[in-house]
Amino acid sequence: MKAVVCRSPGELVLEDRADPGAPPPGWARVAVSHVGICGTDYHIFEGKHPFLAYPRIMGHEVSGTIVEKGEGVDLAVGEPVVINPYLSCGKCIACRHGKPNCCVKIEVLGVHRDGAMCDEILVPVENLYPANGLSLADAAAVEFLAIGAHAVRRSLGPPGARTLVIGAGPIGLGAAIFARIAGLDVSLLDMSAERLGFAEKELGFTPLDGSKATAAELVRQATSGEGFDLVFDATGNTPSVQSAFAHVAHGGTLVLVSVVKDDIAFSDPEFHKREMTLVGSRNALKADFDHVAASIRNGAVPLNKLVTHRTTLARTPRDLARWTHEKSGLIKAVIEVGS
């Protein structure tokens, strides 16, 4: 089969690889249809991912069709599926508590093990969700949107809560969309006037332009000095995460959606006097995948506006390398693998 392989940082090639073979019991062989390109994939290409061994087949935002199933798999051959890329052990404390998204031994397709930028892949049946009427193109967007949907669900924010999403990339936009679906009053903060213009004109969000004033001043103006009830940081930027504590109203909640490699420092007196809640959010659960899929079906998610770039498996080495640096107009890129 054909596979796009990141051999080392900056080296991305199309290779012939052995097909994955017959699936073992409880697994299925899936013909890959569409793969979304994530910020993680760009970081892997740039050599910025801290927990990755090269060479690696990337790709964890995936849809496909079952072509062969192992013993004990109830799904039918020919079934279109969404792939949950978080492979969990099923035995650790997180898994026992119903949180396989933060399994102690988690393996994410395309990161800890080879992913789906290829023709076919083997996947455990518990990680395969029937598309149930979603097109395979739309089904590939479920995973990245589920990250934001999970963060919103973790926040426990009540309808009407004044909400700030920091970072207008795909994950931040997903969080903003699902915050709005949850009935929250959403503003978006970013340093990019282009992305904020997109978020305002195409998606209808209130923009806070960090290129024109400090974040602290923008927050003060937007909330009459009170701060936001809910703040989601989806920047992956350490200074942004640290400054986000000051944007939260007394009694409010800060949700860390993105992850940074650094230690995070904050003022304990400020944290305590506000009686803030600090929430970490990692990956997503099946409930989040189901919520996203239902929201796409009912038209609440404007995927036609979010997917701005498309390519093929053969053109991916060239296009992914180019899009790593050429971000103008880019929101979400998708690889069309299957016919």
Side-chain angles (χ1 to χ4, degrees), residues 160-241:
R162 195 158 49 186
T163 300
L164 177 66
V165 176
I166 309 172
I171 298 300
L173 291 174
I177 288 168
F178 280 90
R180 182 165 61 191
I181 289 172
L184 307 180
D185 180 14
V186 184
S187 297
L188 265 170
L189 171 63
D190 200 279
M191 295 294 291
S192 169
E194 180 185 10
R195 287 208 164 182
L196 287 176
F198 171 86
E200 180 181 20
K201 295 173 185 176
E202 301 295 336
L203 304 179
F205 291 112
T206 301
L208 300 182
D209 190 345
S211 69
K212 295 182 178 178
T214 66
E217 178 60 21
L218 293 168
V219 169
R220 188 192 67 76
Q221 293 174 359
T223 64
S224 300
E226 292 184 328
F228 284 89
D229 304 311
L230 291 173
V231 176
F232 297 85
D233 191 286
T235 64
N237 177 273
T238 299
S240 176
V241 172

Side-chain angles (χ1 to χ4, degrees), residues 18-94:
D19 67 47
W27 290 58
R29 182 164 58 92
V30 177
V32 176
S33 177
H34 291 73
V35 183
I37 300 176
C38 176
T40 297
D41 301 318
Y42 296 119
H43 290 156
I44 291 170
F45 175 71
E46 292 178 292
K48 295 180 180 179
H49 199 287
F51 307 118
L52 185 124
Y54 297 90
R56 177 64 70 227
I57 300 174
M58 301 181 292
H60 60 272
E61 302 175 4
V62 195
S63 67
T65 302
I66 295 176
V67 292
E68 185 180 2
K69 59 181 187 176
E71 182 181 352
V73 174
D74 293 332
L75 298 175
V77 170
E79 179 88 59
V81 291
V82 177
I83 294 180
N84 178 335
Y86 322 127
L87 277 58
S88 57
C89 72
K91 299 176 182 179
C92 72
I93 185 169

